Every structure is written in structure tokens, then in C-alpha cells.
Amino acid sequence: MEWINAYHQSKKALLIIIFLIFGTFILNLSTGIMPLSLSEIIQTFLGNGTANQELVLYQLRLPRMIIALLIGAGLAVSGAILQGLSRNALADPGILGINAGAGLAVVLFIFVFKQAGTTGVVSPFALPVFAFIGALTVALLIYSLSFKGGVDPGRLLLIGIGFNALCGALLIIIQLKMDPRDFQQATIWLTGSIWGTQWRYVNALLPWIIVLLPFAFFKAKTMNLLQLSDPVPYALGMNVERERRILLLLAAALAGACVAVGGGISFLGLLAPHLARRLTGPNFYSLLPASALIGMLILLFSDFVGKNLLAPADIPVGIVISVIGAPYLIYMLLTKRGNGVKA
Amino acid sequence: MSILSKTSKTRSFLSKNGHPGRWMIAGLCGVLVSLIFSIGLGAVWIPPSIILDSLTSFTPDLIEHQLIHEVRIPRALTAALVGAALAVAGTLMQGLTRNPLADPSIIGITQGSALFIAIALAFFTNLSYWLLLGWSFMGAALGAILVLLFSVVSKEQLSPVTLTLAGAALSMLFSSLSTGIALYYQVSQDLSFWFAGGLSGAKWIHVYILFPTVIAGLAIAFIMSRSLTTLTMGDDIATGLGHSLHLVRWLSLAAVVLLSGTAVSIAGAIGFIGLVVPHIVRSLVGVDYRYILPLSAILGSFLLVVADIGARMINPPFETPVGAITALIGVPFFLYLARVKGRSM
């Protein structure tokens, strides 16, 4: 019932976002080194395109766009969960060190196997798993270190920032041991760039998102209750600490899988839930789907900007999002919207 | 009444716990010993007797004397001065923002410097050393002013958690921008030096730049140490006691920019010295900034000289980035602080 109510309340906003996503998707498909018009795209989808057009569309652009959609949704929902969990509107998997943990695991993995000379092992299916392990490890460490007769949201955030710095330092040690080309690649990747643009990366990422996103939606009621001060959910018979653990794992898993394919994109998990809250209010029933959709839209749009602004150079999408995200953050701080989660 | 009791409590705390003079003498001895080790340790171990020889009767023909004069001494002195600069900058920031977690590397000052250095490297070739230093200053100033704006402009007091988060976000923005610039203009290898932090290229010119800067920064800080102490008791009390808050804030900010700007332009992004040192010092000598500031400088020197020795010794003949070492020491400390004080924030 709650779902239907939430849907009716936010129907208009969600439909507008879906429409915008569709428009940006088409825009993104048609631009690039080889421009395609809308009719050419439709012709190609109908099977009447040239071999080149089919190659560009099916093998290059379509998988990249789909990956952008998946990552956008995953990171945005991860951010929404973390903000709800910490009751702080500034939380984000990037700021909390979860992205860095995933990045550290992946860079370590690549570095070790490169040393061993078995690059074939670095398969797209192994990367999300390793990123997941890294993200999970950091999430568990953050959780257990901030546990002191219950998890205080403020402490959770500060410990997360500490781990972000720690992972950053370890990453620098490893990166400086790499040869210049790997160094460059690792830098691009850590900044956040959709690098796996083949169908097999879609196949690697899709199961994670398909399983985890509905699970997050399923937890909407729990998250609504967690927004109240602790005695209330306790009184309602909820195991608050257990739910917090589950949600933290969920956020880490989502961020880990996304970072494996999209790199350390920060600010998306911060921005999307905020805009969603403005559109649909603080109810997680409508907030989570709206965050997912806005995340998709932001990432698609940033990818479009990064691809075309300084073409043929490809600006990593993480940088574009930082440039959009930071002014918003400053605005939030100066209007004191950063202090409470309900802003 | 409450003010009075607070002051008397402070006094008793000082008289019971603090022997600032003794701590300072002990600290200076520590710095001296660490400097001797820093000069002696390396690919070749040089015993103190030869170090003394090279100082009293320098013979240019001896390779060891050359090594001591051209490589080891400037490096040790640079480490000491950079450590002092970062520690005092951190102490000032913590006092100004009343945030026990403020550190130039956590709240974006260091990354601001790195961003401007990236811009300078990308757009100007053959930049003179002094110009690079100027760019680094501007970056540090930008980061510091933004962070201080957050804590001053926002009408209700920003909580340390929010301020730290804002700083973390600012750091991320700055570093992703500098990564972008570095990638596009292909200077990322050059820039990686600043991100890692290192003292391996230290020369006499760095000592000549750092020495007056650190003295000037310390002098500004010391002139305002009384006002800083009252500032930590809250705006109302400080104003009531006749201190001009704006003047104190702007002058301290100038000192922070001067110190961290120079330090970053020379040694790169060395974090956590400015976080760890003020806490240790406060636990040693109490809350009076007239003692906190000089002892911070001494302890900062000691810590960075030791960390730099570690950077050379951990994985010889390769250098481990000293910024990574200070992070490995500093992060557990940060975590401890966050754990102990997290609830009160």
C-alpha cells in the first residue's frame, strides 16, 4: 500500500525524470566521434544500418550507456542508504571511504597479478567480487570501530573519513610502484571513469544491481523508521543494530560492484538523494526510486558532457560530477541544509 | 561565575599537569637527536663524530663531508621546518574552527595547494621556484578561506562532524580537479610527487625559504596566542574580554596559509602532522596557546624528522612516500579521536 501511495504522490516528478533519462540516452547514443542522427539510430535498431553504424551502436555506445545507467542507480541508492543510516545529509560512499576500499582492493589485485604475469585472470567477473570484498572490509571496519554500545551516526562518519584517508595513503604507495602507463590508468580509474564498455561488463554488473536494488527498496520501511530517534524503532520491536548492519552491508555491496566497473565516482551518492528529497520528500518509499532515477540521469548527462566537452579527449566522468557536485554542496552548507538529513 | 571557575580550573590543570619549560627542553633535545640520526642514517651510515668534524672543519675533498653538507643536512633541516610549519598550521586551524579534527590535509588546504600547483605545471613551462611557491600559497589560501567561511558565515555553529565532512568533500573536489588537469595536460607523473609527499629532493634553497616563513608564522601565532586561548572559550566570552575576533581570525588564517602553503609547495601533501601534534601537546601542557604553539612546532619537527628517517629505512634503496607514513601513524590516531570524542560532537 505504501508503495502505491508513494507512487501516486510523486508520479509527475518520476515521469519527468524518466523522460529526461530517455532524452539524454538518445543524445548520448547519437554523439561521439561518429555522429548518428535519430533516424539512423532507429534504422540501425531495425536492422537497416551499415556495418560501421551497428558496430558503434551495439558494441561501443549501448553497453557503455547501460553500464552508466546501472552504476548511476547503484551509487545513488548506496548514498541514499548511507545518508539515512548516518542521519547526515553529507554522507556518500566516496566520502566514507567505501569507494576507496573497493579501489584499493582492485588496484592491489591488478598489481599482484601483473607482477605474477597472469593478466588473463583479471576477468570482468572477478573485479566486482574483489571490489565488493574491499568495500565490505572497509564497511565492516567502519562499523566495528564506531560500535561502542551502539553505533552513533556522527562517529560512523568520522571513522569513515579516517578510513578514506588510510586507503588513499595505501593507494599512493602501490601506485608509485607501478610503471607509468599503469599509473596513468589507475589514476583515471580511481577518479571515476566508465572503462568497461563491453557487454561482458554489463553481464558482470547486472546481477548485482538486479538483486541488490529491489532488496534496498524492500528495506524502505526500515529506513523510514531509522530516521526517528532510536527509542522509537526499539519500541516498535525493531532490532536497530541488526538493521543498521544489514543496510551498511547493502550500501557497501552496491558501491563495491559499481566501483569495480565505474571507478571511484564520488558525489553522485551525495547529489542524487538530495535532489530526490527535494522532489519527493523524505519518505524512503519514494526517495529510493527517485534517487535511483536521478542517479541514472546525472551519470548519463555527466558522461555526455565528459565525452563531448573537450572531444576527442575523454574527461573522466567522476571529474564532471565533482564539478557539478561541489558547488551544490557549498550552497547546501551556506544555507545550512547540510546540518540535518531532512533538508 | 562560570567563567571564573573555568579559568581557575584551567590554572589548576596547568600547575598540576604542565611543566611547559621542561617539555620544551625535552622536545628540543629530541629534535636534536633525531636530526643527528637523520643526518647519519642513509645508504651510508655516518657516525656522529664525522658529522661533527664536517661542521667544525669542513674538508671539501672528503665525500662524506660533501654528502653531509649537500644532501643530508638540508634534508634533515627541511623535514624539521616542514614538520614545525604543518604542526603550527594544524594547531591554529583547530583553535580557529574549534574543531579537534581540523588538519590542513583533511579539510582541503593541502589539496587546494596541490590543485594550484597542478594548474601552474599545466599552463606554464619553466616556472621559477618562487612563482610555484606563489601558486601554492594561493591554493592553500583558497582552501583555508573556504573552510573558515563555512564555520564563520553559517549563523548557527557548524558541528565538527559537518565541518569535517565539508572539508572532506572540498578535498575530493580539489584532488579530482587536479587529477583532471594533470591527465589532460599530461603532468600527472610530476604531480604525483605532491600527492605522495616527499623530502628526497630537499636542497639548501628550501631551508632558506622555510626558515623565515616558519619564524614569521610562529611570530604571528605567538602574538595572538592569548586571544586564541580566549577564542576557544567561545565568541561571547572572547568579545566580552575585548578581543577583536575578526582581527584574530584573519591574522591566524594568514599564518595558516603562510605555513601550510610553503610546506606543501616544498614537501607535498604530508597529512596528519597537523592533526596529531596539537592533541599530544594539549595533553602535555594544557590549554594555554602561549605554551601550545611553541611546543607544537618542536614536536612537529621531531615527528616529521622521524617519519622521514622511516621513509628511507622501510624499503631501501627505495623511498616510501613520507606522506604515506604520516598517514599510517595519523589515521589510527584520528580513528581513536573520532571514537572517543565522536559522541560529544
Side-chain angles (χ1 to χ4, degrees):
Chain A
M1 274 319 282
E2 286 109 329
W3 280 109
I4 294 165
N5 286 339
Y7 169 74
H8 280 302
Q9 275 163 12
S10 54
K11 192 166 53 179
K12 219 173 174 179
L14 294 183
L15 284 178
I16 291 174
I17 301 168
I18 292 173
F19 179 72
L20 285 175
I21 292 176
F22 189 72
T24 319
F25 192 81
I26 298 294
L27 200 64
N28 234 340
L29 278 183
S30 63
T31 52
I33 293 170
M34 182 180 148
L36 295 171
S37 69
L38 187 58
S39 66
E40 278 173 321
I41 292 174
I42 293 170
Q43 285 301 320
T44 314
F45 278 136
L46 292 174
N48 302 327
T50 64
N52 259 345
Q53 285 170 344
E54 280 192 2
L55 177 79
V56 167
L57 214 55
Y58 282 130
Q59 297 307 321
L60 298 175
R61 287 186 195 163
L62 211 50
R64 177 167 171 158
M65 295 306 100
I66 291 174
I67 283 175
L69 288 175
L70 294 176
I71 294 175
L75 283 177
V77 170
S78 175
I81 295 174
L82 288 174
Q83 288 180 11
L85 199 63
S86 62
R87 289 192 213 133
N88 191 310
L90 295 174
D92 163 274
I95 291 175
L96 272 174
I98 292 178
N99 282 359
L104 182 63
V106 171
V107 169
L108 202 65
F109 176 69
I110 294 174
F111 180 69
V112 168
F113 280 101
K114 266 240 156 116
Q115 298 289 89
T118 50
T119 34
V121 187
V122 189
S123 85
F125 294 96
L127 284 180
V129 175
F130 270 84
F132 171 65
I133 293 172
L136 202 64
T137 311
V138 169
L140 285 178
L141 283 171
I142 293 172
Y143 180 83
S144 50
L145 277 173
S146 53
F147 191 92
K148 203 165 107 182
V151 168
D152 175 63
R155 204 159 52 218
L156 186 80
L157 285 171
L158 292 174
I159 302 258
I161 292 174
F163 269 98
N164 197 17
L166 184 69
C167 292
L170 293 174
L171 269 171
I172 280 178
I173 297 182
I174 298 171
Q175 267 189 290
L176 287 179
K177 286 185 183 294
M178 290 178 160
D179 64 67
R181 186 186 289 181
D182 286 349
F183 178 90
Q184 181 101 345
Q185 264 186 336
T187 310
I188 294 176
W189 183 75
L190 289 169
T191 317
S193 168
I194 303 166
W195 60 282
T197 57
Q198 296 156 12
W199 283 108
R200 50 198 193 114
Y201 292 99
V202 177
N203 297 335
L205 185 59
L206 197 59
W208 293 80
I209 303 293
I210 284 183
V211 173
L212 294 174
L213 268 197
F215 187 61
F217 294 159
F218 173 71
K219 283 281 174 195
K221 188 176 183 183
T222 313
M223 304 206 44
N224 276 339
L225 286 178
L226 280 177
Q227 299 318 297
L228 308 167
S229 65
D230 277 2
V232 181
Y234 272 120
L236 291 171
M238 189 168 127
N239 187 340
V240 174
E241 288 308 327
R242 189 173 140 253
E243 294 298 335
R244 280 199 180 130
R245 268 197 295 273
I246 294 175
L247 287 169
L248 191 64
L249 287 184
L250 184 61
L254 275 171
C258 293
V259 169
V261 181
I265 299 171
S266 30
F267 283 113
L268 185 64
L270 176 86
L271 263 181
H274 270 272
L275 295 172
R277 221 171 274 130
R278 289 239 162 142
L279 276 180
T280 66
N283 181 354
F284 274 84
Y285 279 109
S286 47
L287 180 64
L288 287 176
S291 298
L293 287 173
I294 292 176
M296 290 175 173
L297 180 63
I298 294 177
L299 197 61
L300 266 188
F301 182 71
S302 304
D303 187 52
F304 170 73
V305 172
K307 207 167 66 172
N308 293 301
L309 192 64
L310 294 175
D314 219 339
I315 309 173
V317 70
I319 294 174
V320 180
I321 291 181
S322 294
V323 171
I324 302 172
Y328 184 78
L329 181 81
I330 290 167
Y331 161 76
M332 247 169 46
L333 283 167
L334 293 183
T335 52
K336 282 168 288 173
R337 287 183 190 279
N339 283 327
V341 75
K342 298 209 164 56
Chain B
M1 190 58 211
S2 68
I3 305 169
L4 272 178
S5 63
K6 198 167 186 173
T7 338
S8 62
K9 201 174 153 194
T10 307
R11 282 222 185 92
S12 68
F13 178 62
L14 263 182
S15 60
K16 185 182 68 184
N17 201 2
H19 297 286
R22 284 185 209 169
W23 283 117
M24 272 176 222
I25 292 169
L28 282 174
C29 293
V31 172
L32 199 67
V33 172
S34 66
L35 279 175
I36 292 171
F37 271 102
S38 178
I39 295 168
L41 286 166
V44 199
W45 160 246
I46 301 171
S49 58
I50 300 184
I51 298 174
L52 203 65
D53 265 1
S54 82
L55 291 177
T56 49
S57 55
F58 177 61
T59 336
D61 295 340
L62 282 174
I63 294 173
E64 280 175 337
H65 283 200
Q66 282 284 355
L67 186 69
I68 289 171
H69 269 246
E70 295 308 314
V71 180
R72 299 268 176 93
I73 291 182
R75 178 167 185 168
L77 289 179
T78 306
L81 289 166
V82 167
L86 290 174
V88 174
T91 306
L92 288 172
M93 265 334 262
Q94 289 187 11
L96 278 179
T97 60
R98 283 183 217 127
N99 179 354
L101 296 175
D103 169 81
S105 72
I106 289 178
I107 56 180
I109 295 178
T110 314
Q111 287 80 359
S113 254
L115 172 62
F116 273 54
I117 287 174
I119 293 172
L121 287 176
F123 294 101
F124 307 96
T125 44
N126 298 326
L127 211 64
S128 86
Y129 194 82
W130 292 101
L131 277 175
L132 203 61
L133 197 67
W135 279 89
S136 174
F137 269 146
M138 285 193 281
L142 181 69
I145 288 171
L146 280 178
V147 168
L148 205 65
L149 265 184
F150 293 152
S151 53
V152 173
V153 169
S154 78
K155 295 206 172 57
E156 49 188 279
Q157 187 72 43
L158 274 187
S159 78
V161 175
T162 303
L163 186 67
T164 313
L165 272 173
L170 202 64
S171 314
M172 275 181 1
L173 170 72
F174 284 154
S175 54
S176 81
L177 278 178
S178 34
T179 310
I181 290 168
L183 286 173
Y184 189 70
Y185 292 93
Q186 315 210 316
V187 289
S188 53
Q189 281 301 61
D190 296 330
L191 194 68
S192 70
F193 166 77
W194 270 280
F195 278 123
L199 297 156
S200 55
K203 295 186 183 69
W204 276 110
I205 177 155
H206 300 137
V207 179
Y208 298 144
I209 295 169
L210 275 165
F211 193 71
T213 321
V214 174
I215 297 290
L218 256 182
I220 299 176
F222 203 72
I223 292 167
M224 286 173 317
S225 51
R226 247 171 214 281
S227 311
L228 269 173
T229 312
T230 35
L231 196 67
T232 52
M233 294 175 185
D235 284 3
D236 297 339
I237 296 173
T239 317
L241 291 172
H243 291 276
S244 162
L245 295 182
H246 283 296
L247 189 68
V248 177
R249 285 201 171 112
W250 283 110
L251 277 176
S252 315
L253 191 67
V256 170
V257 170
L258 192 69
L259 291 167
S260 53
T262 320
V264 174
S265 75
I266 285 169
I270 296 175
F272 292 99
I273 294 272
L275 174 84
V276 174
V277 169
H279 284 278
I280 299 175
V281 169
R282 269 198 295 266
S283 73
L284 292 179
V285 298
V287 293
D288 191 336
Y289 274 84
R290 280 174 302 171
Y291 304 125
I292 293 178
L293 284 165
L295 196 58
S296 284
I298 292 170
L299 196 66
S301 293
F302 176 70
L303 267 184
L304 194 59
V305 173
V306 172
D308 183 48
I309 295 173
R312 279 177 278 168
M313 304 309 289
I314 284 179
N315 187 19
F318 301 105
E319 296 240 357
T320 310
V322 72
I325 291 180
T326 56
L328 292 183
I329 302 169
V331 166
F333 196 83
F334 181 91
L335 295 180
Y336 165 77
L337 283 177
R339 201 175 143 76
V340 171
K341 303 197 172 178
R343 193 171 282 274
S344 62
M345 289 166 187

